[in-house]
Amino acid sequence: MSQIPSTPIPGWPAVTFEPRPWKQDAGVATSRRQKLLARGDYQAAVPPFIANLEVHLDAEALTTADDASAELARFDSELGSVTAPFASILLRSESASSSEVEQLTSSAKQVALAELGAAKSENAHLVVANVRAMQAALQLSENINERAIISMQHALLHESAPEHTGQFRNTQVWIGGGGISPHSAEFVPPHHDRVPELMTDLVQFSRRTDIPLLAHAALMHAQFETIHPFPDGNGRTGRALLHSMLRHGGLTRNVTVPVSAGLLSNTAEYFTALSKYRDGDTGAIVVTFADAVFAGINNGRQLVTELEAVAAEWEKIAPTRQGSAVTALKTLLLRQPVVTVALVATELGVSSVTATNAIERLVSSEVLVQTNSFKRNRMWHAPEVLTALDRFGSRARRRLP
């Protein structure tokens, strides 16, 4: 793990603050102490406009980012030449890790069930929503603008909190502290009347071509999180935006590299780097993201290796001919480890009878296990795939070598 630079590079202004009046909500019940703390002006951030700022990074940050970029491109190229459906599973894994940074945890099985609308876990449904946000980010990467960013956040929250989507925020938000007022918050993003201009400036910054790509994406992410343009979902949207930048710049073309899984191994360092960015330190967030790339790739490679081993074992216990429905189903299970007859029929383009026969063949070989006891609307899961995905999550939660 590289050491985060502690000395700000001259030329990148720190966030300043301005007093803003606060009107207490008379209908909120609270103690006299809390009411006293919520009196008077609060201090809201005033982030600098960065579209035309010179970016100065020290040698360590540049070298670390350059090494990470090369490894990221290599990993993307490796998986681009493999026929197994690892792009989908890595996208889901990255979405789960990004959600877990926000303390939204769920098992791989519950996430897979949520994709079928059958999960009991609310967090699992939120992870699936994050998958949609990641997909939107990649689809919109060719033209990153304000509307595209709003669309990413909409994909994330349109089911769970539609009232918070469709536009940038029109209220003050804050991070940490009490829920009564921003006076004791850890950080108060800019007042909402500053958000439109700041987001226009951020989009202009995203179009620059004079900054190394990984550093560019990291700085854009940090500025986005500082602006905090939405009432909710800023962290997950901001990490989706990072992947949009990586795809837009051509650093990734085939897969979603699990950067958030790397961040998850040391979230304290990630949040510290964001704070340092607001103090004018551009190197800290760049090094943190570079380190996250290495950690995420190491974890992702191990996941791919485990899934390849699972596929090889399946071929031993349930050998099938190339082009058969059972062969296609085994491939499908690597990206969709919980299935129904209807899903298999749709995905493979076969009849329900053929889908049922393929499932039953893999049940008899113990590749698949029935998930529920229903006679209708039955579901099956591939335990080995789910175990590999849960191991990926467990590795992401600890610092990787």
mmCIF file of all heavy atoms in Angstrom, residues 245-295:
data_model
loop_
_atom_site.group_PDB
_atom_site.id
_atom_site.type_symbol
_atom_site.label_atom_id
_atom_site.label_comp_id
_atom_site.label_asym_id
_atom_site.label_seq_id
_atom_site.Cartn_x
_atom_site.Cartn_y
_atom_site.Cartn_z
ATOM 1 N N MET A 245 -15.935 7.376 -16.516
ATOM 2 C CA MET A 245 -14.732 8.079 -16.956
ATOM 3 C C MET A 245 -13.683 7.096 -17.487
ATOM 4 O O MET A 245 -13.048 7.351 -18.522
ATOM 5 C CB MET A 245 -14.147 8.883 -15.794
ATOM 6 C CG MET A 245 -14.901 10.144 -15.450
ATOM 7 S SD MET A 245 -14.611 11.450 -16.670
ATOM 8 C CE MET A 245 -12.885 11.841 -16.346
ATOM 9 N N LEU A 246 -13.498 5.982 -16.801
ATOM 10 C CA LEU A 246 -12.519 4.995 -17.252
ATOM 11 C C LEU A 246 -12.908 4.412 -18.607
ATOM 12 O O LEU A 246 -12.054 4.195 -19.473
ATOM 13 C CB LEU A 246 -12.381 3.872 -16.220
ATOM 14 C CG LEU A 246 -11.843 4.280 -14.841
ATOM 15 C CD1 LEU A 246 -11.832 3.079 -13.907
ATOM 16 C CD2 LEU A 246 -10.454 4.903 -14.940
ATOM 17 N N ARG A 247 -14.203 4.169 -18.803
ATOM 18 C CA ARG A 247 -14.673 3.647 -20.092
ATOM 19 C C ARG A 247 -14.587 4.721 -21.172
ATOM 20 O O ARG A 247 -14.178 4.448 -22.305
ATOM 21 C CB ARG A 247 -16.109 3.134 -19.944
ATOM 22 C CG ARG A 247 -16.692 2.463 -21.177
ATOM 23 C CD ARG A 247 -15.952 1.190 -21.558
ATOM 24 N NE ARG A 247 -15.951 0.193 -20.504
ATOM 25 C CZ ARG A 247 -16.897 -0.744 -20.354
ATOM 26 N NH1 ARG A 247 -17.927 -0.779 -21.192
ATOM 27 N NH2 ARG A 247 -16.807 -1.633 -19.384
ATOM 28 N N HIS A 248 -14.953 5.945 -20.816
ATOM 29 C CA HIS A 248 -14.913 7.054 -21.779
ATOM 30 C C HIS A 248 -13.490 7.283 -22.286
ATOM 31 O O HIS A 248 -13.279 7.546 -23.475
ATOM 32 C CB HIS A 248 -15.438 8.332 -21.118
ATOM 33 C CG HIS A 248 -15.363 9.546 -21.984
ATOM 34 N ND1 HIS A 248 -16.224 9.760 -23.047
ATOM 35 C CD2 HIS A 248 -14.526 10.615 -21.965
ATOM 36 C CE1 HIS A 248 -15.921 10.906 -23.640
ATOM 37 N NE2 HIS A 248 -14.888 11.446 -22.999
ATOM 38 N N GLY A 249 -12.519 7.159 -21.382
ATOM 39 C CA GLY A 249 -11.136 7.381 -21.776
ATOM 40 C C GLY A 249 -10.474 6.190 -22.431
ATOM 41 O O GLY A 249 -9.322 6.278 -22.860
ATOM 42 N N GLY A 250 -11.173 5.056 -22.505
ATOM 43 C CA GLY A 250 -10.634 3.877 -23.158
ATOM 44 C C GLY A 250 -9.709 3.044 -22.296
ATOM 45 O O GLY A 250 -9.101 2.094 -22.786
ATOM 46 N N LEU A 251 -9.611 3.361 -21.009
ATOM 47 C CA LEU A 251 -8.745 2.579 -20.136
ATOM 48 C C LEU A 251 -9.354 1.208 -19.860
ATOM 49 O O LEU A 251 -8.644 0.226 -19.669
ATOM 50 C CB LEU A 251 -8.499 3.333 -18.826
ATOM 51 C CG LEU A 251 -7.290 2.907 -17.979
ATOM 52 C CD1 LEU A 251 -6.010 2.889 -18.809
ATOM 53 C CD2 LEU A 251 -7.118 3.851 -16.793
ATOM 54 N N THR A 252 -10.681 1.147 -19.830
ATOM 55 C CA THR A 252 -11.384 -0.138 -19.789
ATOM 56 C C THR A 252 -12.327 -0.203 -20.985
ATOM 57 O O THR A 252 -12.930 0.799 -21.367
ATOM 58 C CB THR A 252 -12.199 -0.303 -18.488
ATOM 59 O OG1 THR A 252 -13.166 0.761 -18.380
ATOM 60 C CG2 THR A 252 -11.301 -0.278 -17.273
ATOM 61 N N ARG A 253 -12.439 -1.390 -21.559
ATOM 62 C CA ARG A 253 -13.314 -1.586 -22.716
ATOM 63 C C ARG A 253 -14.237 -2.784 -22.557
ATOM 64 O O ARG A 253 -15.280 -2.856 -23.195
ATOM 65 C CB ARG A 253 -12.470 -1.791 -23.984
ATOM 66 C CG ARG A 253 -11.550 -0.621 -24.316
ATOM 67 C CD ARG A 253 -10.700 -0.913 -25.546
ATOM 68 N NE ARG A 253 -9.745 0.161 -25.799
ATOM 69 C CZ ARG A 253 -10.009 1.253 -26.491
ATOM 70 N NH1 ARG A 253 -11.226 1.415 -27.004
ATOM 71 N NH2 ARG A 253 -9.095 2.180 -26.675
ATOM 72 N N ASN A 254 -13.838 -3.733 -21.706
ATOM 73 C CA ASN A 254 -14.547 -5.008 -21.644
ATOM 74 C C ASN A 254 -15.230 -5.291 -20.318
ATOM 75 O O ASN A 254 -16.307 -5.872 -20.296
ATOM 76 C CB ASN A 254 -13.558 -6.154 -21.931
ATOM 77 C CG ASN A 254 -12.865 -5.989 -23.265
ATOM 78 O OD1 ASN A 254 -13.501 -5.967 -24.310
ATOM 79 N ND2 ASN A 254 -11.538 -5.873 -23.234
ATOM 80 N N VAL A 255 -14.609 -4.902 -19.219
ATOM 81 C CA VAL A 255 -15.143 -5.274 -17.906
ATOM 82 C C VAL A 255 -15.149 -4.070 -16.969
ATOM 83 O O VAL A 255 -14.480 -3.063 -17.206
ATOM 84 C CB VAL A 255 -14.321 -6.406 -17.255
ATOM 85 C CG1 VAL A 255 -14.382 -7.662 -18.089
ATOM 86 C CG2 VAL A 255 -12.871 -5.976 -17.022
ATOM 87 N N THR A 256 -15.922 -4.208 -15.903
ATOM 88 C CA THR A 256 -15.944 -3.218 -14.829
ATOM 89 C C THR A 256 -14.985 -3.692 -13.752
ATOM 90 O O THR A 256 -15.276 -4.641 -13.021
ATOM 91 C CB THR A 256 -17.367 -3.076 -14.253
ATOM 92 O OG1 THR A 256 -18.271 -2.772 -15.317
ATOM 93 C CG2 THR A 256 -17.421 -1.979 -13.209
ATOM 94 N N VAL A 257 -13.829 -3.075 -13.692
ATOM 95 C CA VAL A 257 -12.807 -3.496 -12.737
ATOM 96 C C VAL A 257 -13.292 -3.171 -11.321
ATOM 97 O O VAL A 257 -13.783 -2.066 -11.066
ATOM 98 C CB VAL A 257 -11.469 -2.800 -13.034
ATOM 99 C CG1 VAL A 257 -10.411 -3.193 -12.016
ATOM 100 C CG2 VAL A 257 -11.009 -3.155 -14.447
ATOM 101 N N PRO A 258 -13.172 -4.119 -10.378
ATOM 102 C CA PRO A 258 -13.749 -3.909 -9.033
ATOM 103 C C PRO A 258 -12.948 -2.925 -8.179
ATOM 104 O O PRO A 258 -12.342 -3.293 -7.170
ATOM 105 C CB PRO A 258 -13.748 -5.323 -8.435
ATOM 106 C CG PRO A 258 -12.669 -6.045 -9.164
ATOM 107 C CD PRO A 258 -12.654 -5.480 -10.557
ATOM 108 N N VAL A 259 -12.972 -1.658 -8.569
ATOM 109 C CA VAL A 259 -12.260 -0.624 -7.823
ATOM 110 C C VAL A 259 -12.864 -0.439 -6.433
ATOM 111 O O VAL A 259 -12.151 -0.268 -5.443
ATOM 112 C CB VAL A 259 -12.273 0.708 -8.598
ATOM 113 C CG1 VAL A 259 -11.568 1.801 -7.803
ATOM 114 C CG2 VAL A 259 -11.610 0.546 -9.959
ATOM 115 N N SER A 260 -14.188 -0.467 -6.343
ATOM 116 C CA SER A 260 -14.834 -0.283 -5.036
ATOM 117 C C SER A 260 -14.467 -1.400 -4.075
ATOM 118 O O SER A 260 -14.405 -1.189 -2.863
ATOM 119 C CB SER A 260 -16.358 -0.214 -5.200
ATOM 120 O OG SER A 260 -16.733 0.943 -5.909
ATOM 121 N N ALA A 261 -14.217 -2.599 -4.613
ATOM 122 C CA ALA A 261 -13.759 -3.694 -3.753
ATOM 123 C C ALA A 261 -12.406 -3.346 -3.154
ATOM 124 O O ALA A 261 -12.110 -3.694 -2.007
ATOM 125 C CB ALA A 261 -13.665 -4.999 -4.551
ATOM 126 N N GLY A 262 -11.575 -2.644 -3.930
ATOM 127 C CA GLY A 262 -10.300 -2.181 -3.396
ATOM 128 C C GLY A 262 -10.485 -1.105 -2.355
ATOM 129 O O GLY A 262 -9.804 -1.098 -1.319
ATOM 130 N N LEU A 263 -11.400 -0.189 -2.579
ATOM 131 C CA LEU A 263 -11.683 0.856 -1.590
ATOM 132 C C LEU A 263 -12.233 0.258 -0.302
ATOM 133 O O LEU A 263 -11.952 0.739 0.794
ATOM 134 C CB LEU A 263 -12.689 1.858 -2.157
ATOM 135 C CG LEU A 263 -12.248 2.699 -3.347
ATOM 136 C CD1 LEU A 263 -13.414 3.539 -3.857
ATOM 137 C CD2 LEU A 263 -11.071 3.591 -2.986
ATOM 138 N N LEU A 264 -13.024 -0.803 -0.448
ATOM 139 C CA LEU A 264 -13.675 -1.412 0.705
ATOM 140 C C LEU A 264 -12.661 -2.004 1.669
ATOM 141 O O LEU A 264 -12.925 -2.119 2.878
ATOM 142 C CB LEU A 264 -14.652 -2.499 0.235
ATOM 143 C CG LEU A 264 -15.604 -3.111 1.247
ATOM 144 C CD1 LEU A 264 -16.479 -2.041 1.883
ATOM 145 C CD2 LEU A 264 -16.466 -4.173 0.579
ATOM 146 N N SER A 265 -11.478 -2.369 1.154
ATOM 147 C CA SER A 265 -10.462 -2.951 2.033
ATOM 148 C C SER A 265 -9.902 -1.930 3.014
ATOM 149 O O SER A 265 -9.292 -2.288 4.016
ATOM 150 C CB SER A 265 -9.316 -3.551 1.209
ATOM 151 O OG SER A 265 -8.583 -2.534 0.542
ATOM 152 N N ASN A 266 -10.120 -0.633 2.726
ATOM 153 C CA ASN A 266 -9.661 0.403 3.664
ATOM 154 C C ASN A 266 -10.494 1.662 3.452
ATOM 155 O O ASN A 266 -10.026 2.645 2.881
ATOM 156 C CB ASN A 266 -8.179 0.703 3.456
ATOM 157 C CG ASN A 266 -7.588 1.489 4.622
ATOM 158 O OD1 ASN A 266 -8.309 2.096 5.408
ATOM 159 N ND2 ASN A 266 -6.276 1.493 4.743
ATOM 160 N N THR A 267 -11.738 1.619 3.909
ATOM 161 C CA THR A 267 -12.630 2.765 3.696
ATOM 162 C C THR A 267 -12.160 3.997 4.451
ATOM 163 O O THR A 267 -12.384 5.123 4.015
ATOM 164 C CB THR A 267 -14.072 2.421 4.120
ATOM 165 O OG1 THR A 267 -14.074 1.944 5.466
ATOM 166 C CG2 THR A 267 -14.661 1.362 3.206
ATOM 167 N N ALA A 268 -11.485 3.801 5.589
ATOM 168 C CA ALA A 268 -10.998 4.957 6.357
ATOM 169 C C ALA A 268 -10.014 5.764 5.519
ATOM 170 O O ALA A 268 -10.047 7.002 5.513
ATOM 171 C CB ALA A 268 -10.339 4.489 7.655
ATOM 172 N N GLU A 269 -9.142 5.073 4.793
ATOM 173 C CA GLU A 269 -8.184 5.767 3.938
ATOM 174 C C GLU A 269 -8.899 6.516 2.817
ATOM 175 O O GLU A 269 -8.516 7.627 2.443
ATOM 176 C CB GLU A 269 -7.185 4.773 3.363
ATOM 177 C CG GLU A 269 -6.089 5.421 2.530
ATOM 178 C CD GLU A 269 -5.052 4.408 2.096
ATOM 179 O OE1 GLU A 269 -4.155 4.111 2.894
ATOM 180 O OE2 GLU A 269 -5.159 3.925 0.954
ATOM 181 N N TYR A 270 -9.941 5.899 2.274
ATOM 182 C CA TYR A 270 -10.725 6.524 1.201
ATOM 183 C C TYR A 270 -11.355 7.827 1.687
ATOM 184 O O TYR A 270 -11.230 8.880 1.042
ATOM 185 C CB TYR A 270 -11.783 5.522 0.739
ATOM 186 C CG TYR A 270 -12.869 6.053 -0.165
ATOM 187 C CD1 TYR A 270 -12.587 6.856 -1.268
ATOM 188 C CD2 TYR A 270 -14.203 5.709 0.072
ATOM 189 C CE1 TYR A 270 -13.599 7.306 -2.107
ATOM 190 C CE2 TYR A 270 -15.212 6.144 -0.761
ATOM 191 C CZ TYR A 270 -14.911 6.951 -1.844
ATOM 192 O OH TYR A 270 -15.926 7.395 -2.668
ATOM 193 N N PHE A 271 -12.013 7.790 2.840
ATOM 194 C CA PHE A 271 -12.669 9.000 3.343
ATOM 195 C C PHE A 271 -11.640 10.050 3.783
ATOM 196 O O PHE A 271 -11.878 11.256 3.644
ATOM 197 C CB PHE A 271 -13.623 8.649 4.482
ATOM 198 C CG PHE A 271 -14.811 7.825 4.035
ATOM 199 C CD1 PHE A 271 -15.105 6.605 4.623
ATOM 200 C CD2 PHE A 271 -15.624 8.270 2.999
ATOM 201 C CE1 PHE A 271 -16.189 5.848 4.191
ATOM 202 C CE2 PHE A 271 -16.716 7.518 2.568
ATOM 203 C CZ PHE A 271 -16.993 6.309 3.162
ATOM 204 N N THR A 272 -10.499 9.593 4.278
ATOM 205 C CA THR A 272 -9.431 10.538 4.611
ATOM 206 C C THR A 272 -8.916 11.234 3.354
ATOM 207 O O THR A 272 -8.658 12.443 3.357
ATOM 208 C CB THR A 272 -8.274 9.808 5.314
ATOM 209 O OG1 THR A 272 -8.738 9.302 6.570
ATOM 210 C CG2 THR A 272 -7.106 10.756 5.570
ATOM 211 N N ALA A 273 -8.781 10.472 2.286
ATOM 212 C CA ALA A 273 -8.304 11.054 1.028
ATOM 213 C C ALA A 273 -9.286 12.088 0.483
ATOM 214 O O ALA A 273 -8.880 13.125 -0.065
ATOM 215 C CB ALA A 273 -8.079 9.950 -0.005
ATOM 216 N N LEU A 274 -10.582 11.836 0.634
ATOM 217 C CA LEU A 274 -11.578 12.827 0.217
ATOM 218 C C LEU A 274 -11.441 14.104 1.038
ATOM 219 O O LEU A 274 -11.540 15.215 0.502
ATOM 220 C CB LEU A 274 -12.987 12.247 0.357
ATOM 221 C CG LEU A 274 -13.411 11.194 -0.671
ATOM 222 C CD1 LEU A 274 -14.773 10.608 -0.307
ATOM 223 C CD2 LEU A 274 -13.456 11.782 -2.080
ATOM 224 N N SER A 275 -11.211 13.949 2.338
ATOM 225 C CA SER A 275 -11.022 15.131 3.186
ATOM 226 C C SER A 275 -9.768 15.893 2.780
ATOM 227 O O SER A 275 -9.767 17.137 2.742
ATOM 228 C CB SER A 275 -10.929 14.710 4.659
ATOM 229 O OG SER A 275 -12.148 14.161 5.106
ATOM 230 N N LYS A 276 -8.689 15.182 2.475
ATOM 231 C CA LYS A 276 -7.459 15.844 2.060
ATOM 232 C C LYS A 276 -7.644 16.577 0.735
ATOM 233 O O LYS A 276 -7.082 17.658 0.524
ATOM 234 C CB LYS A 276 -6.324 14.820 1.952
ATOM 235 C CG LYS A 276 -5.839 14.318 3.303
ATOM 236 C CD LYS A 276 -4.595 13.455 3.147
ATOM 237 C CE LYS A 276 -4.027 13.071 4.500
ATOM 238 N NZ LYS A 276 -2.768 12.322 4.395
ATOM 239 N N TYR A 277 -8.436 15.982 -0.154
ATOM 240 C CA TYR A 277 -8.725 16.669 -1.414
ATOM 241 C C TYR A 277 -9.363 18.030 -1.143
ATOM 242 O O TYR A 277 -9.021 19.032 -1.776
ATOM 243 C CB TYR A 277 -9.656 15.807 -2.281
ATOM 244 C CG TYR A 277 -10.194 16.551 -3.488
ATOM 245 C CD1 TYR A 277 -9.446 16.649 -4.650
ATOM 246 C CD2 TYR A 277 -11.440 17.185 -3.448
ATOM 247 C CE1 TYR A 277 -9.920 17.356 -5.749
ATOM 248 C CE2 TYR A 277 -11.920 17.886 -4.535
ATOM 249 C CZ TYR A 277 -11.155 17.970 -5.690
ATOM 250 O OH TYR A 277 -11.626 18.674 -6.769
ATOM 251 N N ARG A 278 -10.283 18.074 -0.189
ATOM 252 C CA ARG A 278 -10.965 19.333 0.128
ATOM 253 C C ARG A 278 -10.015 20.337 0.771
ATOM 254 O O ARG A 278 -10.299 21.535 0.781
ATOM 255 C CB ARG A 278 -12.164 19.048 1.039
ATOM 256 C CG ARG A 278 -13.258 18.262 0.324
ATOM 257 C CD ARG A 278 -14.240 17.602 1.270
ATOM 258 N NE ARG A 278 -15.137 16.721 0.535
ATOM 259 C CZ ARG A 278 -15.753 15.671 1.054
ATOM 260 N NH1 ARG A 278 -15.561 15.356 2.339
ATOM 261 N NH2 ARG A 278 -16.534 14.911 0.304
ATOM 262 N N ASP A 279 -8.885 19.847 1.271
ATOM 263 C CA ASP A 279 -7.868 20.743 1.822
ATOM 264 C C ASP A 279 -6.856 21.188 0.762
ATOM 265 O O ASP A 279 -5.913 21.916 1.083
ATOM 266 C CB ASP A 279 -7.123 20.050 2.970
ATOM 267 C CG ASP A 279 -8.011 19.845 4.186
ATOM 268 O OD1 ASP A 279 -8.979 20.608 4.354
ATOM 269 O OD2 ASP A 279 -7.729 18.917 4.972
ATOM 270 N N GLY A 280 -7.038 20.725 -0.473
ATOM 271 C CA GLY A 280 -6.147 21.128 -1.546
ATOM 272 C C GLY A 280 -5.097 20.105 -1.922
ATOM 273 O O GLY A 280 -4.175 20.409 -2.690
ATOM 274 N N ASP A 281 -5.221 18.876 -1.408
ATOM 275 C CA ASP A 281 -4.256 17.813 -1.699
ATOM 276 C C ASP A 281 -4.806 16.944 -2.824
ATOM 277 O O ASP A 281 -5.694 16.126 -2.608
ATOM 278 C CB ASP A 281 -4.024 16.981 -0.436
ATOM 279 C CG ASP A 281 -3.002 15.865 -0.625
ATOM 280 O OD1 ASP A 281 -2.642 15.574 -1.778
ATOM 281 O OD2 ASP A 281 -2.570 15.299 0.389
ATOM 282 N N THR A 282 -4.278 17.104 -4.027
ATOM 283 C CA THR A 282 -4.759 16.311 -5.163
ATOM 284 C C THR A 282 -4.129 14.923 -5.213
ATOM 285 O O THR A 282 -4.673 14.031 -5.863
ATOM 286 C CB THR A 282 -4.457 17.042 -6.484
ATOM 287 O OG1 THR A 282 -3.068 17.384 -6.515
ATOM 288 C CG2 THR A 282 -5.305 18.290 -6.631
ATOM 289 N N GLY A 283 -2.995 14.747 -4.542
ATOM 290 C CA GLY A 283 -2.306 13.464 -4.625
ATOM 291 C C GLY A 283 -2.963 12.364 -3.826
ATOM 292 O O GLY A 283 -2.926 11.195 -4.226
ATOM 293 N N ALA A 284 -3.573 12.705 -2.696
ATOM 294 C CA ALA A 284 -4.102 11.673 -1.800
ATOM 295 C C ALA A 284 -5.164 10.812 -2.472
ATOM 296 O O ALA A 284 -5.117 9.585 -2.397
ATOM 297 C CB ALA A 284 -4.684 12.335 -0.551
ATOM 298 N N ILE A 285 -6.109 11.437 -3.133
ATOM 299 C CA ILE A 285 -7.196 10.664 -3.739
ATOM 300 C C ILE A 285 -6.695 9.870 -4.934
ATOM 301 O O ILE A 285 -7.177 8.761 -5.208
ATOM 302 C CB ILE A 285 -8.383 11.591 -4.122
ATOM 303 C CG1 ILE A 285 -9.631 10.758 -4.437
ATOM 304 C CG2 ILE A 285 -8.025 12.510 -5.285
ATOM 305 C CD1 ILE A 285 -10.211 10.037 -3.248
ATOM 306 N N VAL A 286 -5.707 10.390 -5.645
ATOM 307 C CA VAL A 286 -5.150 9.668 -6.790
ATOM 308 C C VAL A 286 -4.452 8.400 -6.329
ATOM 309 O O VAL A 286 -4.649 7.307 -6.888
ATOM 310 C CB VAL A 286 -4.185 10.572 -7.588
ATOM 311 C CG1 VAL A 286 -3.471 9.764 -8.673
ATOM 312 C CG2 VAL A 286 -4.940 11.739 -8.208
ATOM 313 N N VAL A 287 -3.627 8.502 -5.280
ATOM 314 C CA VAL A 287 -2.924 7.337 -4.748
ATOM 315 C C VAL A 287 -3.924 6.323 -4.181
ATOM 316 O O VAL A 287 -3.776 5.113 -4.379
ATOM 317 C CB VAL A 287 -1.910 7.762 -3.669
ATOM 318 C CG1 VAL A 287 -1.356 6.558 -2.932
ATOM 319 C CG2 VAL A 287 -0.781 8.557 -4.306
ATOM 320 N N THR A 288 -4.949 6.816 -3.502
ATOM 321 C CA THR A 288 -5.948 5.910 -2.930
ATOM 322 C C THR A 288 -6.654 5.112 -4.012
ATOM 323 O O THR A 288 -6.857 3.894 -3.876
ATOM 324 C CB THR A 288 -6.968 6.712 -2.101
ATOM 325 O OG1 THR A 288 -6.311 7.292 -0.976
ATOM 326 C CG2 THR A 288 -8.101 5.825 -1.605
ATOM 327 N N PHE A 289 -7.029 5.769 -5.101
ATOM 328 C CA PHE A 289 -7.695 5.045 -6.186
ATOM 329 C C PHE A 289 -6.735 4.118 -6.907
ATOM 330 O O PHE A 289 -7.124 3.016 -7.334
ATOM 331 C CB PHE A 289 -8.354 6.023 -7.159
ATOM 332 C CG PHE A 289 -9.779 6.316 -6.797
ATOM 333 C CD1 PHE A 289 -10.125 7.486 -6.155
ATOM 334 C CD2 PHE A 289 -10.784 5.410 -7.088
ATOM 335 C CE1 PHE A 289 -11.438 7.759 -5.797
ATOM 336 C CE2 PHE A 289 -12.106 5.670 -6.743
ATOM 337 C CZ PHE A 289 -12.436 6.850 -6.100
ATOM 338 N N ALA A 290 -5.488 4.521 -7.052
ATOM 339 C CA ALA A 290 -4.502 3.642 -7.677
ATOM 340 C C ALA A 290 -4.325 2.374 -6.840
ATOM 341 O O ALA A 290 -4.303 1.249 -7.374
ATOM 342 C CB ALA A 290 -3.177 4.370 -7.848
ATOM 343 N N ASP A 291 -4.197 2.537 -5.515
ATOM 344 C CA ASP A 291 -4.088 1.379 -4.633
ATOM 345 C C ASP A 291 -5.341 0.509 -4.707
ATOM 346 O O ASP A 291 -5.268 -0.729 -4.656
ATOM 347 C CB ASP A 291 -3.860 1.837 -3.194
ATOM 348 C CG ASP A 291 -2.442 2.335 -2.951
ATOM 349 O OD1 ASP A 291 -1.545 1.979 -3.738
ATOM 350 O OD2 ASP A 291 -2.227 3.086 -1.979
ATOM 351 N N ALA A 292 -6.505 1.157 -4.838
ATOM 352 C CA ALA A 292 -7.761 0.401 -4.935
ATOM 353 C C ALA A 292 -7.813 -0.413 -6.225
ATOM 354 O O ALA A 292 -8.376 -1.515 -6.248
ATOM 355 C CB ALA A 292 -8.948 1.355 -4.864
ATOM 356 N N VAL A 293 -7.243 0.116 -7.290
ATOM 357 C CA VAL A 293 -7.184 -0.628 -8.550
ATOM 358 C C VAL A 293 -6.381 -1.914 -8.366
ATOM 359 O O VAL A 293 -6.818 -3.001 -8.771
ATOM 360 C CB VAL A 293 -6.575 0.241 -9.669
ATOM 361 C CG1 VAL A 293 -6.188 -0.622 -10.875
ATOM 362 C CG2 VAL A 293 -7.560 1.319 -10.107
ATOM 363 N N PHE A 294 -5.202 -1.812 -7.744
ATOM 364 C CA PHE A 294 -4.385 -3.006 -7.523
ATOM 365 C C PHE A 294 -5.123 -4.028 -6.659
ATOM 366 O O PHE A 294 -5.168 -5.221 -6.983
ATOM 367 C CB PHE A 294 -3.061 -2.624 -6.859
ATOM 368 C CG PHE A 294 -2.094 -1.923 -7.763
ATOM 369 C CD1 PHE A 294 -1.664 -0.639 -7.476
ATOM 370 C CD2 PHE A 294 -1.614 -2.538 -8.910
ATOM 371 C CE1 PHE A 294 -0.771 0.018 -8.311
ATOM 372 C CE2 PHE A 294 -0.719 -1.895 -9.750
ATOM 373 C CZ PHE A 294 -0.291 -0.612 -9.454
ATOM 374 N N ALA A 295 -5.710 -3.556 -5.546
ATOM 375 C CA ALA A 295 -6.423 -4.467 -4.641
ATOM 376 C C ALA A 295 -7.625 -5.093 -5.338
ATOM 377 O O ALA A 295 -7.879 -6.302 -5.212
ATOM 378 C CB ALA A 295 -6.867 -3.725 -3.384
#
